[in-house]
Amino acid sequence: MKKVSKIKQWLLLSCCFLFLIVCITSYISNRENSSSKTQNITLTDVGFDTSIDFQATCSPSEFGQYVTIVRDTFTKYNQLFDQYNSYEGINNVYTLNNEAADSYVQVDDDLIECIQEAQKVYSLSSQFDITQGAVLSLWHDAREESIVLNDEGKDGILPDASAIQEAMQHTGFDKLEIKNNTIHYLDPELKLDLGGIAKGYTAQKCKEILNENGLVNGFINAGGNVVLLSEKSDGWRIGIRNPDQQSSLVRYTTTKDKAIVTSGDYQRYYEISNQRYTHIIDPQTGYPSNYVRSVTIICNDSTLADGLSTALFNMSYEDGANFISSLQDTYDIGVIWILDKEKAITSDIECNDFIIKTTDNIRKDVTLSN
């Protein structure tokens, strides 16, 4: 009987010890997972020809879940909006550009929504036009070849002028038919290119999904498309890049959850005889714009900001300022222009190397970076 009693005591003590270990382990794990800290990651494999910087303040386990959302969202939409590659089981922009002239192509609702958002921006300004894909394709091919030539110390090349003029004849939303969830091209030479709005649309979608899953702080920076995920009482400080350097030139400060999107001539370009040819093409001329060095749009929606930054890059400062003024009764939009010094314009912020202009509604929030 004594032997049985000792065995029972030993089993009881073992169970108590095991329970204590489980409690301690659970406490340590819960404490680690519940402790919030600011964490960062840079994703380089999710498409859009750029890296994605993501920051959030949360527990390590939550951060892993949020990173998965960012990765999956950008990967999904990169495939959907890709005009250069096909993907099994996906009708994307590449599919449309190769098949929509022959038949009605059924597509994802998000692709239709992005096209319709682009059409809304076009209705505000024809200087943003996703239907000029045939023109952009000519410049894409010339740029790809020219970058290699520039790396070899040689001048780049221009697309054939007559080919540009021919391609410009095959643009326009009147050549695009959307019926329910299908798309059909009325012109067999029509090509779509969503490069001027797709990244902004994706970043906005990603913000919405992150917020729905409980993330109420942090930001996404998708290569010049910054989306703030929440308000911040002590202020977000966003650097706007110097067009000639990797560092920031000015800083924009806000407490709101804004989208800040920049279009600049330094992002993708090549050179001929020291003249820079950027990737943003003026729909009116069919040639790269050179009105300003960069335009930054600040508003509540990343999709709108992305489209408008492209449109304003295709305008002189004066035309852009007048255009934005006409929108202010409907949209809350701030703009930062950076121009070369030779422009006969008075800078709003004293700067040795550039002219810096802002809209009145954000002027007090923009300063030179230290």
Coordinates of all heavy atoms in Angstrom, one line a residue, residues 8-96:
K8 N 1.5 7.3 -6.5 CA 0.4 8.3 -6.6 C 1.0 9.7 -6.4 O 0.7 10.6 -7.1 CB -0.8 8.0 -5.8 CG -1.6 6.8 -6.2 CD -2.8 6.6 -5.3 CE -3.7 5.5 -5.8 NZ -4.9 5.3 -4.9
Q9 N 1.8 9.8 -5.3 CA 2.4 11.0 -5.0 C 3.3 11.5 -6.1 O 3.4 12.7 -6.4 CB 3.1 10.9 -3.6 CG 2.2 10.8 -2.4 CD 3.0 10.6 -1.1 OE1 4.3 10.6 -1.1 NE2 2.3 10.4 0.0
W10 N 4.1 10.6 -6.6 CA 5.0 10.9 -7.6 C 4.3 11.4 -8.9 O 4.7 12.3 -9.5 CB 5.9 9.7 -8.0 CG 6.9 10.0 -9.0 CD1 8.2 10.5 -8.9 CD2 6.8 9.7 -10.4 NE1 8.8 10.7 -10.1 CE2 8.0 10.2 -11.0 CE3 5.8 9.2 -11.2 CZ2 8.2 10.1 -12.4 CZ3 6.0 9.1 -12.6 CH2 7.2 9.5 -13.2
L11 N 3.2 10.7 -9.3 CA 2.4 11.0 -10.4 C 1.8 12.4 -10.2 O 1.8 13.2 -11.1 CB 1.3 10.0 -10.7 CG 1.8 8.6 -11.2 CD1 0.7 7.7 -11.3 CD2 2.4 8.8 -12.6
L12 N 1.3 12.7 -9.0 CA 0.7 14.0 -8.7 C 1.7 15.1 -8.8 O 1.4 16.1 -9.4 CB 0.1 13.9 -7.3 CG -0.6 15.2 -6.9 CD1 -1.8 15.5 -7.8 CD2 -1.2 15.1 -5.5
L13 N 2.9 14.9 -8.3 CA 4.0 15.9 -8.3 C 4.4 16.1 -9.8 O 4.6 17.2 -10.2 CB 5.2 15.4 -7.5 CG 5.0 15.5 -6.0 CD1 6.2 14.9 -5.2 CD2 4.8 17.0 -5.5
S14 N 4.5 15.0 -10.6 CA 4.9 15.1 -12.0 C 3.9 15.9 -12.8 O 4.2 16.8 -13.6 CB 5.0 13.7 -12.6 OG 6.1 13.0 -12.0
C15 N 2.6 15.7 -12.5 CA 1.5 16.4 -13.2 C 1.6 17.9 -12.8 O 1.4 18.8 -13.7 CB 0.2 15.8 -12.9 SG -0.1 14.2 -13.6
C16 N 1.8 18.1 -11.5 CA 1.9 19.5 -11.1 C 3.0 20.3 -11.7 O 2.9 21.4 -12.1 CB 2.0 19.6 -9.6 SG 0.5 19.1 -8.7
F17 N 4.2 19.5 -11.8 CA 5.4 20.1 -12.4 C 5.1 20.4 -13.9 O 5.5 21.5 -14.4 CB 6.6 19.2 -12.2 CG 7.8 19.7 -12.8 CD1 8.5 20.8 -12.2 CD2 8.3 19.2 -14.0 CE1 9.7 21.3 -12.8 CE2 9.5 19.7 -14.5 CZ 10.2 20.7 -13.9
L18 N 4.5 19.4 -14.6 CA 4.2 19.6 -16.0 C 3.3 20.7 -16.2 O 3.5 21.6 -17.2 CB 3.6 18.3 -16.6 CG 3.3 18.3 -18.1 CD1 4.5 18.5 -18.9 CD2 2.6 17.0 -18.5
F19 N 2.3 20.9 -15.4 CA 1.3 22.0 -15.5 C 2.0 23.3 -15.3 O 1.7 24.3 -16.0 CB 0.2 21.8 -14.4 CG -0.8 22.9 -14.5 CD1 -1.8 23.0 -15.5 CD2 -0.9 23.8 -13.4 CE1 -2.7 24.0 -15.5 CE2 -1.8 24.8 -13.5 CZ -2.7 24.9 -14.5
L20 N 2.9 23.3 -14.3 CA 3.7 24.6 -14.1 C 4.5 25.0 -15.3 O 4.6 26.1 -15.7 CB 4.6 24.4 -12.8 CG 5.5 25.6 -12.5 CD1 4.6 26.8 -12.1 CD2 6.4 25.2 -11.3
I21 N 5.2 24.0 -15.9 CA 6.0 24.2 -17.1 C 5.1 24.8 -18.2 O 5.5 25.7 -18.9 CB 6.7 23.0 -17.6 CG1 7.7 22.5 -16.5 CG2 7.4 23.2 -18.9 CD1 8.9 23.5 -16.3
V22 N 3.9 24.2 -18.4 CA 3.0 24.6 -19.5 C 2.6 26.0 -19.2 O 2.5 26.9 -20.1 CB 1.8 23.7 -19.6 CG1 0.7 24.3 -20.5 CG2 2.2 22.3 -20.1
C23 N 2.2 26.3 -18.0 CA 1.8 27.7 -17.6 C 2.9 28.7 -17.9 O 2.6 29.8 -18.4 CB 1.4 27.8 -16.2 SG -0.2 26.9 -15.8
I24 N 4.1 28.4 -17.5 CA 5.3 29.3 -17.7 C 5.5 29.5 -19.2 O 5.7 30.7 -19.6 CB 6.5 28.8 -17.0 CG1 6.3 28.8 -15.5 CG2 7.7 29.6 -17.4 CD1 7.5 28.1 -14.7
T25 N 5.5 28.4 -19.9 CA 5.7 28.5 -21.4 C 4.6 29.4 -22.0 O 4.9 30.2 -22.9 CB 5.8 27.1 -22.0 OG1 6.8 26.4 -21.4 CG2 6.0 27.2 -23.5
S26 N 3.4 29.1 -21.6 CA 2.3 29.8 -22.2 C 2.4 31.3 -21.9 O 2.1 32.2 -22.7 CB 1.0 29.3 -21.7 OG -0.1 30.0 -22.2
Y27 N 2.8 31.6 -20.6 CA 2.9 33.0 -20.2 C 4.0 33.7 -21.0 O 3.8 34.9 -21.5 CB 3.3 33.1 -18.7 CG 3.6 34.4 -18.2 CD1 2.6 35.4 -18.0 CD2 5.0 34.8 -18.0 CE1 3.0 36.7 -17.5 CE2 5.3 36.1 -17.6 CZ 4.3 37.0 -17.3 OH 4.6 38.3 -16.9
I28 N 5.1 33.1 -21.2 CA 6.2 33.7 -21.9 C 5.8 33.9 -23.4 O 6.0 35.0 -24.0 CB 7.5 32.8 -21.9 CG1 8.0 32.8 -20.4 CG2 8.5 33.3 -22.8 CD1 9.2 31.8 -20.2
S29 N 5.1 32.9 -24.0 CA 4.7 33.0 -25.4 C 3.7 34.1 -25.5 O 3.8 34.9 -26.4 CB 4.1 31.7 -25.8 OG 3.6 31.8 -27.1
N30 N 2.7 34.2 -24.6 CA 1.7 35.2 -24.7 C 2.2 36.6 -24.5 O 1.8 37.6 -25.1 CB 0.5 34.9 -23.7 CG -0.3 33.8 -24.1 OD1 -0.4 33.4 -25.2 ND2 -0.9 33.1 -23.1
R31 N 3.2 36.7 -23.5 CA 3.8 38.0 -23.3 C 4.6 38.5 -24.5 O 4.5 39.6 -24.9 CB 4.8 37.9 -22.1 CG 5.4 39.2 -21.7 CD 6.2 39.0 -20.4 NE 6.9 40.3 -20.1 CZ 7.7 40.4 -19.1 NH1 8.0 39.4 -18.3 NH2 8.2 41.6 -18.8
E32 N 5.3 37.5 -25.2 CA 6.1 37.9 -26.3 C 5.1 38.3 -27.5 O 5.4 39.3 -28.2 CB 6.9 36.7 -26.8 CG 7.7 37.0 -28.1 CD 8.5 35.8 -28.5 OE1 9.2 35.2 -27.6 OE2 8.4 35.4 -29.7
N33 N 4.0 37.5 -27.7 CA 3.1 37.8 -28.8 C 2.3 39.0 -28.5 O 1.8 39.7 -29.5 CB 2.3 36.6 -29.1 CG 3.0 35.5 -29.8 OD1 4.0 35.8 -30.5 ND2 2.6 34.3 -29.6
S34 N 2.0 39.4 -27.2 CA 1.2 40.5 -27.0 C 1.9 41.8 -26.9 O 1.3 42.9 -26.9 CB 0.4 40.3 -25.6 OG 1.4 40.2 -24.6
S35 N 3.3 41.7 -26.8 CA 4.1 43.0 -26.7 C 4.2 43.6 -28.1 O 4.7 43.0 -29.0 CB 5.4 42.7 -26.1 OG 6.1 41.7 -26.9
S36 N 3.7 44.8 -28.2 CA 3.8 45.5 -29.5 C 5.1 46.2 -29.7 O 5.6 46.8 -28.8 CB 2.6 46.5 -29.6 OG 1.4 45.8 -29.7
K37 N 5.6 46.1 -30.9 CA 6.8 46.9 -31.2 C 6.8 47.2 -32.7 O 6.1 46.6 -33.5 CB 8.1 46.1 -30.9 CG 8.2 44.8 -31.6 CD 9.5 44.1 -31.2 CE 9.7 42.7 -31.9 NZ 11.0 42.1 -31.5
T38 N 7.5 48.3 -33.1 CA 7.6 48.7 -34.5 C 8.5 47.7 -35.3 O 9.6 47.5 -34.9 CB 8.0 50.1 -34.6 OG1 7.1 51.0 -33.9 CG2 8.1 50.6 -36.0
Q39 N 8.0 47.2 -36.3 CA 8.7 46.2 -37.1 C 8.6 46.6 -38.6 O 7.7 47.2 -39.1 CB 8.1 44.8 -36.9 CG 8.2 44.4 -35.5 CD 7.3 43.2 -35.2 OE1 7.7 42.1 -35.4 NE2 6.1 43.5 -34.8
N40 N 9.7 46.3 -39.3 CA 9.8 46.7 -40.7 C 10.2 45.5 -41.6 O 10.9 44.6 -41.1 CB 10.9 47.8 -40.9 CG 10.6 49.0 -40.1 OD1 9.9 49.9 -40.6 ND2 11.1 49.1 -38.9
I41 N 9.8 45.5 -42.8 CA 10.3 44.5 -43.8 C 10.3 45.1 -45.2 O 9.4 46.0 -45.5 CB 9.4 43.2 -43.7 CG1 10.1 42.1 -44.5 CG2 8.0 43.5 -44.3 CD1 9.4 40.7 -44.4
T42 N 11.2 44.7 -46.0 CA 11.2 45.1 -47.4 C 11.0 43.9 -48.3 O 11.8 42.9 -48.2 CB 12.6 45.8 -47.8 OG1 12.7 47.0 -47.0 CG2 12.6 46.1 -49.3
L43 N 10.0 43.9 -49.1 CA 9.7 42.8 -50.0 C 10.1 43.1 -51.4 O 9.8 44.2 -51.9 CB 8.1 42.5 -50.0 CG 7.5 42.3 -48.6 CD1 6.0 42.1 -48.8 CD2 8.1 41.0 -48.0
T44 N 10.9 42.2 -51.9 CA 11.5 42.5 -53.3 C 11.0 41.5 -54.3 O 11.5 41.5 -55.5 CB 13.0 42.4 -53.2 OG1 13.4 41.0 -52.7 CG2 13.6 43.4 -52.2
D45 N 10.0 40.6 -54.0 CA 9.6 39.6 -54.9 C 8.1 39.6 -55.1 O 7.5 38.5 -55.4 CB 10.1 38.2 -54.3 CG 9.5 37.9 -52.9 OD1 8.9 38.9 -52.3 OD2 9.6 36.8 -52.5
V46 N 7.5 40.8 -55.1 CA 6.0 40.8 -55.2 C 5.6 41.6 -56.5 O 4.4 41.9 -56.6 CB 5.4 41.4 -54.0 CG1 5.6 40.5 -52.8 CG2 5.9 42.8 -53.7
G47 N 6.6 41.9 -57.3 CA 6.2 42.5 -58.6 C 6.2 44.0 -58.6 O 6.8 44.7 -57.8
F48 N 5.6 44.6 -59.6 CA 5.5 46.0 -59.9 C 6.8 46.7 -60.1 O 7.0 47.9 -60.0 CB 4.7 46.7 -58.7 CG 3.3 46.4 -58.7 CD1 2.8 45.4 -57.8 CD2 2.4 47.1 -59.5 CE1 1.4 45.1 -57.8 CE2 1.0 46.8 -59.5 CZ 0.5 45.8 -58.6
D49 N 7.8 45.9 -60.4 CA 9.2 46.4 -60.7 C 9.7 47.4 -59.6 O 10.4 48.3 -59.9 CB 9.1 47.2 -62.1 CG 10.5 47.4 -62.7 OD1 11.4 46.6 -62.4 OD2 10.6 48.4 -63.4
T50 N 9.4 47.0 -58.4 CA 9.9 47.8 -57.2 C 9.9 47.0 -56.0 O 9.2 45.9 -55.9 CB 9.0 49.1 -57.1 OG1 9.6 50.0 -56.1 CG2 7.6 48.7 -56.5
S51 N 10.6 47.5 -54.9 CA 10.5 46.9 -53.6 C 9.3 47.5 -52.8 O 8.9 48.7 -53.1 CB 11.8 47.1 -52.9 OG 12.1 48.4 -52.7
I52 N 8.8 46.8 -51.9 CA 7.7 47.2 -51.1 C 8.2 47.3 -49.6 O 8.6 46.3 -49.0 CB 6.5 46.3 -51.1 CG1 6.1 46.0 -52.6 CG2 5.3 46.9 -50.3 CD1 5.7 47.2 -53.4
D53 N 8.2 48.5 -49.0 CA 8.6 48.7 -47.6 C 7.3 48.7 -46.8 O 6.3 49.4 -47.1 CB 9.3 50.0 -47.4 CG 10.7 50.0 -48.1 OD1 11.4 48.9 -48.1 OD2 11.0 51.0 -48.7
F54 N 7.3 47.9 -45.7 CA 6.1 47.8 -44.9 C 6.5 47.9 -43.4 O 7.4 47.3 -43.0 CB 5.4 46.4 -45.1 CG 4.3 46.1 -44.2 CD1 3.2 47.0 -44.0 CD2 4.2 45.0 -43.5 CE1 2.2 46.8 -43.1 CE2 3.2 44.7 -42.6 CZ 2.1 45.6 -42.4
Q55 N 5.8 48.8 -42.7 CA 6.1 49.0 -41.3 C 4.8 48.9 -40.5 O 3.7 49.4 -41.0 CB 6.7 50.4 -41.0 CG 7.0 50.6 -39.5 CD 7.6 52.0 -39.3 OE1 6.8 52.9 -38.8 NE2 8.8 52.2 -39.6
A56 N 4.8 48.3 -39.3 CA 3.6 48.2 -38.5 C 4.1 48.0 -37.0 O 5.2 47.5 -36.7 CB 2.8 47.0 -38.9
T57 N 3.2 48.5 -36.1 CA 3.5 48.4 -34.7 C 2.5 47.4 -34.2 O 1.3 47.6 -34.1 CB 3.3 49.7 -34.0 OG1 4.3 50.6 -34.5 CG2 3.6 49.5 -32.5
C58 N 3.0 46.2 -33.8 CA 2.1 45.1 -33.4 C 3.0 44.0 -32.8 O 4.2 44.1 -32.7 CB 1.3 44.6 -34.6 SG 2.3 44.0 -36.0
S59 N 2.4 42.9 -32.4 CA 3.1 41.8 -31.9 C 3.8 41.0 -33.1 O 3.4 41.2 -34.2 CB 2.2 40.8 -31.2 OG 1.4 40.1 -32.1
P60 N 4.9 40.3 -32.8 CA 5.6 39.6 -33.8 C 4.7 38.6 -34.6 O 4.8 38.5 -35.8 CB 6.7 38.8 -33.1 CG 7.0 39.7 -31.9 CD 5.6 40.2 -31.5
S61 N 3.8 37.9 -33.9 CA 2.9 37.0 -34.6 C 1.9 37.7 -35.5 O 1.7 37.3 -36.6 CB 2.2 36.1 -33.6 OG 1.3 36.9 -32.8
E62 N 1.4 38.8 -35.1 CA 0.5 39.6 -35.9 C 1.3 40.2 -37.1 O 0.7 40.2 -38.2 CB -0.1 40.8 -35.1 CG -1.1 40.4 -34.0 CD -1.5 41.5 -33.1 OE1 -0.7 42.4 -32.9 OE2 -2.6 41.5 -32.6
F63 N 2.5 40.6 -36.9 CA 3.3 41.2 -38.0 C 3.5 40.1 -39.1 O 3.3 40.5 -40.3 CB 4.7 41.6 -37.5 CG 5.5 42.4 -38.5 CD1 5.0 43.6 -39.0 CD2 6.6 41.8 -39.0 CE1 5.8 44.3 -40.0 CE2 7.4 42.5 -40.0 CZ 6.9 43.7 -40.5
G64 N 3.7 38.9 -38.7 CA 3.8 37.8 -39.7 C 2.6 37.7 -40.6 O 2.6 37.5 -41.8
Q65 N 1.4 37.8 -39.9 CA 0.1 37.7 -40.6 C -0.1 38.9 -41.6 O -0.5 38.7 -42.7 CB -1.0 37.6 -39.6 CG -1.0 36.4 -38.7 CD -2.0 36.5 -37.6 OE1 -2.8 37.4 -37.5 NE2 -1.9 35.5 -36.6
Y66 N 0.3 40.1 -41.1 CA 0.2 41.3 -41.9 C 1.1 41.2 -43.1 O 0.7 41.7 -44.2 CB 0.4 42.5 -41.1 CG -0.7 42.7 -40.0 CD1 -0.3 43.2 -38.7 CD2 -2.0 42.5 -40.2 CE1 -1.2 43.4 -37.7 CE2 -3.0 42.7 -39.3 CZ -2.6 43.1 -38.0 OH -3.5 43.3 -37.0
V67 N 2.3 40.7 -42.9 CA 3.3 40.6 -44.0 C 2.7 39.7 -45.1 O 2.8 40.0 -46.3 CB 4.6 40.1 -43.5 CG1 5.5 39.8 -44.7 CG2 5.3 41.2 -42.7
T68 N 2.1 38.6 -44.7 CA 1.5 37.7 -45.6 C 0.4 38.4 -46.4 O 0.3 38.2 -47.7 CB 0.8 36.5 -44.9 OG1 1.9 35.8 -44.2 CG2 0.1 35.6 -45.9
I69 N -0.4 39.2 -45.8 CA -1.5 40.0 -46.5 C -0.8 40.9 -47.5 O -1.3 41.0 -48.7 CB -2.3 40.8 -45.5 CG1 -3.2 39.9 -44.7 CG2 -3.2 41.9 -46.2 CD1 -3.9 40.6 -43.6
V70 N 0.2 41.6 -47.1 CA 0.9 42.6 -48.1 C 1.5 41.8 -49.3 O 1.3 42.1 -50.4 CB 2.0 43.4 -47.4 CG1 2.8 44.2 -48.4 CG2 1.4 44.2 -46.3
R71 N 2.2 40.7 -48.9 CA 2.8 39.9 -50.0 C 1.7 39.3 -51.0 O 1.9 39.4 -52.2 CB 3.6 38.7 -49.4 CG 4.4 37.9 -50.4 CD 5.0 36.7 -49.7 NE 6.0 37.1 -48.7 CZ 7.2 37.5 -49.0 NH1 7.6 37.5 -50.2 NH2 8.0 37.8 -48.0
D72 N 0.7 38.7 -50.4 CA -0.3 38.1 -51.3 C -1.1 39.2 -52.1 O -1.4 38.9 -53.3 CB -1.3 37.4 -50.4 CG -0.7 36.1 -49.8 OD1 0.4 35.7 -50.2 OD2 -1.4 35.5 -48.9
T73 N -1.4 40.3 -51.5 CA -2.1 41.4 -52.2 C -1.3 41.9 -53.4 O -1.8 42.0 -54.5 CB -2.5 42.5 -51.3 OG1 -3.3 42.0 -50.2 CG2 -3.3 43.6 -52.0
F74 N -0.1 42.3 -53.1 CA 0.7 42.8 -54.2 C 1.0 41.8 -55.3 O 1.0 42.1 -56.5 CB 2.0 43.4 -53.7 CG 1.9 44.9 -53.2 CD1 1.4 45.1 -51.9 CD2 2.1 45.9 -54.1 CE1 1.3 46.5 -51.5 CE2 1.9 47.2 -53.7 CZ 1.5 47.5 -52.4
T75 N 1.3 40.6 -54.9 CA 1.5 39.5 -55.9 C 0.3 39.3 -56.8 O 0.4 39.2 -58.0 CB 1.9 38.2 -55.2 OG1 3.1 38.4 -54.4 CG2 2.1 37.1 -56.2
K76 N -0.9 39.2 -56.1 CA -2.1 39.0 -56.9 C -2.4 40.1 -57.9 O -2.6 39.8 -59.1 CB -3.3 39.0 -55.9 CG -4.7 39.0 -56.6 CD -5.8 39.2 -55.6 CE -7.2 39.4 -56.3 NZ -8.3 39.6 -55.3
Y77 N -2.3 41.4 -57.5 CA -2.6 42.5 -58.4 C -1.5 42.7 -59.4 O -1.7 43.2 -60.5 CB -2.9 43.7 -57.6 CG -4.2 43.6 -56.9 CD1 -4.3 43.7 -55.5 CD2 -5.4 43.5 -57.6 CE1 -5.6 43.6 -54.9 CE2 -6.6 43.4 -57.0 CZ -6.7 43.5 -55.6 OH -7.9 43.4 -55.0
N78 N -0.3 42.4 -59.1 CA 0.8 42.5 -60.1 C 0.5 41.5 -61.2 O 0.7 41.9 -62.4 CB 2.2 42.1 -59.5 CG 3.3 42.0 -60.5 OD1 3.7 43.0 -61.0 ND2 3.7 40.8 -60.8
Q79 N 0.0 40.3 -61.0 CA -0.3 39.4 -62.0 C -1.5 39.9 -62.8 O -1.6 39.8 -64.0 CB -0.6 38.0 -61.4 CG 0.7 37.4 -60.8 CD 0.4 36.0 -60.2 OE1 -0.8 35.6 -60.1 NE2 1.4 35.3 -59.7
L80 N -2.5 40.4 -62.1 CA -3.7 40.9 -62.7 C -3.5 42.0 -63.7 O -4.1 42.1 -64.8 CB -4.8 41.3 -61.7 CG -6.2 41.4 -62.1 CD1 -6.8 40.2 -62.7 CD2 -7.0 41.9 -60.9
F81 N -2.6 43.0 -63.3 CA -2.4 44.2 -64.1 C -1.2 44.1 -65.0 O -0.9 45.1 -65.7 CB -2.2 45.4 -63.2 CG -3.4 45.6 -62.2 CD1 -3.2 45.9 -60.9 CD2 -4.7 45.5 -62.7 CE1 -4.3 46.2 -60.1 CE2 -5.8 45.7 -61.9 CZ -5.6 46.0 -60.5
D82 N -0.5 43.0 -65.1 CA 0.7 42.8 -65.9 C 0.3 42.7 -67.4 O -0.5 41.9 -67.8 CB 1.4 41.5 -65.5 CG 2.8 41.4 -66.1 OD1 3.1 42.0 -67.1 OD2 3.5 40.5 -65.5
Q83 N 0.9 43.6 -68.2 CA 0.6 43.6 -69.6 C 1.7 42.9 -70.4 O 1.6 42.8 -71.7 CB 0.5 45.1 -70.2 CG 1.8 45.9 -70.2 CD 1.9 46.8 -69.0 OE1 1.6 46.4 -67.9 NE2 2.4 48.0 -69.2
Y84 N 2.7 42.4 -69.8 CA 3.8 41.8 -70.5 C 3.9 40.3 -70.3 O 4.6 39.6 -71.1 CB 5.2 42.3 -70.0 CG 5.3 43.8 -70.2 CD1 5.3 44.7 -69.1 CD2 5.4 44.4 -71.5 CE1 5.4 46.1 -69.3 CE2 5.5 45.7 -71.7 CZ 5.5 46.6 -70.6 OH 5.6 47.9 -70.8
N85 N 3.2 39.7 -69.3 CA 3.3 38.3 -69.0 C 1.9 37.7 -68.8 O 1.0 38.4 -68.3 CB 4.1 38.0 -67.8 CG 5.5 38.6 -68.0 OD1 6.4 38.0 -68.7 ND2 5.8 39.7 -67.3
S86 N 1.7 36.4 -69.1 CA 0.5 35.7 -68.8 C 0.7 34.8 -67.6 O 1.8 34.4 -67.3 CB 0.1 34.9 -70.1 OG 1.1 33.9 -70.4
Y87 N -0.4 34.4 -67.0 CA -0.3 33.6 -65.8 C -1.5 32.6 -65.9 O -2.6 32.9 -66.3 CB -0.5 34.4 -64.5 CG 0.6 35.4 -64.3 CD1 0.4 36.7 -64.9 CD2 1.8 35.2 -63.7 CE1 1.4 37.7 -64.7 CE2 2.8 36.1 -63.5 CZ 2.6 37.4 -64.1 OH 3.5 38.4 -63.9
E88 N -1.2 31.3 -65.6 CA -2.2 30.3 -65.8 C -3.4 30.6 -64.9 O -3.4 30.9 -63.7 CB -1.6 28.9 -65.3 CG -2.5 27.8 -65.6 CD -1.8 26.4 -65.3 OE1 -0.6 26.4 -64.9 OE2 -2.5 25.4 -65.4
G89 N -4.6 30.5 -65.6 CA -5.9 30.7 -64.9 C -6.3 32.1 -64.6 O -7.3 32.4 -63.9
I90 N -5.5 33.1 -65.1 CA -5.8 34.5 -64.9 C -5.9 35.2 -66.2 O -5.1 35.2 -67.1 CB -4.7 35.2 -64.1 CG1 -4.5 34.5 -62.7 CG2 -4.9 36.7 -63.9 CD1 -3.3 35.1 -61.9
N91 N -7.1 35.9 -66.4 CA -7.2 36.8 -67.5 C -6.8 38.2 -67.1 O -7.5 38.8 -66.3 CB -8.7 36.8 -68.0 CG -9.1 35.5 -68.8 OD1 -8.2 34.8 -69.3 ND2 -10.4 35.3 -68.9
N92 N -5.6 38.6 -67.5 CA -5.1 39.9 -67.1 C -5.0 40.8 -68.2 O -5.6 40.7 -69.3 CB -3.7 39.6 -66.4 CG -2.7 39.0 -67.3 OD1 -3.0 38.8 -68.5 ND2 -1.5 38.8 -66.8
V93 N -4.2 41.9 -68.0 CA -4.1 42.9 -69.1 C -3.4 42.3 -70.3 O -3.8 42.7 -71.4 CB -3.3 44.2 -68.6 CG1 -3.1 45.2 -69.7 CG2 -4.1 44.8 -67.4
Y94 N -2.5 41.5 -70.1 CA -1.8 40.8 -71.2 C -2.8 40.0 -72.0 O -2.8 40.0 -73.3 CB -0.7 39.8 -70.7 CG 0.0 39.0 -71.8 CD1 1.1 39.5 -72.4 CD2 -0.5 37.8 -72.1 CE1 1.7 38.7 -73.4 CE2 0.1 37.0 -73.1 CZ 1.2 37.5 -73.7 OH 1.8 36.7 -74.7
T95 N -3.7 39.3 -71.3 CA -4.8 38.6 -72.0 C -5.7 39.5 -72.8 O -6.0 39.2 -74.0 CB -5.7 37.8 -71.0 OG1 -4.9 37.1 -70.1 CG2 -6.6 36.9 -71.7
L96 N -6.1 40.6 -72.2 CA -6.9 41.6 -72.9 C -6.2 42.1 -74.2 O -6.8 42.2 -75.3 CB -7.2 42.8 -72.0 CG -8.2 42.5 -70.8 CD1 -8.3 43.7 -70.0 CD2 -9.5 42.0 -71.3

